[in-house]
Amino acid sequence: MHRFYADGLGEIGSLVTLSEEDARHASRVLRMQPELVHAACDTAHALGMRVAAHVESPEGVRVALENGVDSIEHGAKPDEDILRLFTEKNAFDICTISPALPFALFDRAVSHATYEQQENGKIVFDGVVEMAKACLA
């Protein structure tokens, strides 16, 4: 973290949950435990840096927001608690659908995705879109 700061970076990113690998189970698999997310955010904020989290499951969004992340990249289907956390923590959503788009919408002959990858891509894509709509409402 201190090296990023010394190099002049104003923001760091983290991966809190799995990506499109298996979206049906991503909410149960965290890449970063809450304590680590919290420690990273505390350190970054002490240095004046913002923290962005690449998150594609509701549980990952919740863990990220509860532990100090400033922005959610991608997103997932939010519930009322998640929307409350966005407001309470003054966090924001960056609706990045490009990673899921080819999996979700392209013909598998074009994307070369397996059936499971395509279905997982649809879950992630739908969650990202639902979060963006909810944040804009």
Side-chain angles (χ1 to χ4, degrees):
M1 193 81 59
H2 292 277
R3 182 168 179 255
F4 294 142
Y5 177 75
D7 288 346
L9 293 177
E11 183 173 312
I12 64 162
S14 65
L15 179 66
V16 177
T17 55
L18 287 174
S19 60
E20 295 87 9
E21 294 172 24
D22 194 345
R24 291 168 293 167
H25 304 291
S27 64
R28 289 180 255 153
V29 181
L30 295 174
R31 293 281 190 194
M32 291 180 71
Q33 295 307 311
E35 300 80 18
L36 184 56
V37 176
H38 187 80
C41 290
D42 279 355
T43 301
H45 292 153
L47 294 169
M49 299 170 73
R50 297 186 101 164
V51 181
H54 294 263
V55 184
E56 297 163 341
S57 75
E59 183 60 20
V61 172
R62 188 177 334 281
V63 165
L65 293 174
E66 287 175 343
N67 288 285
V69 166
D70 300 296
S71 70
I72 300 296
E73 314 296 314
H74 311 300
K77 183 178 179 179
D79 58 22
E80 289 302 316
D81 187 48
I82 288 172
L83 295 174
R84 177 190 56 77
L85 283 167
F86 267 108
T87 301
E88 187 179 286
K89 304 291 185 172
N90 199 30
F92 56 95
D93 175 50
I94 303 292
C95 174
T96 311
I97 61 171
S98 56
L101 188 114
F103 288 100
L105 300 181
F106 291 8
D107 186 279
R108 289 197 344 248
V110 174
S111 69
H112 303 288
T114 66
Y115 174 78
E116 185 176 57
Q117 289 170 327
Q118 186 175 51
E119 292 304 305
N120 290 332
K122 288 176 186 177
I123 292 168
V124 171
F125 180 85
D126 290 344
V128 171
V129 171
E130 286 185 47
M131 176 165 279
K133 287 179 179 179
C135 287
L136 290 171

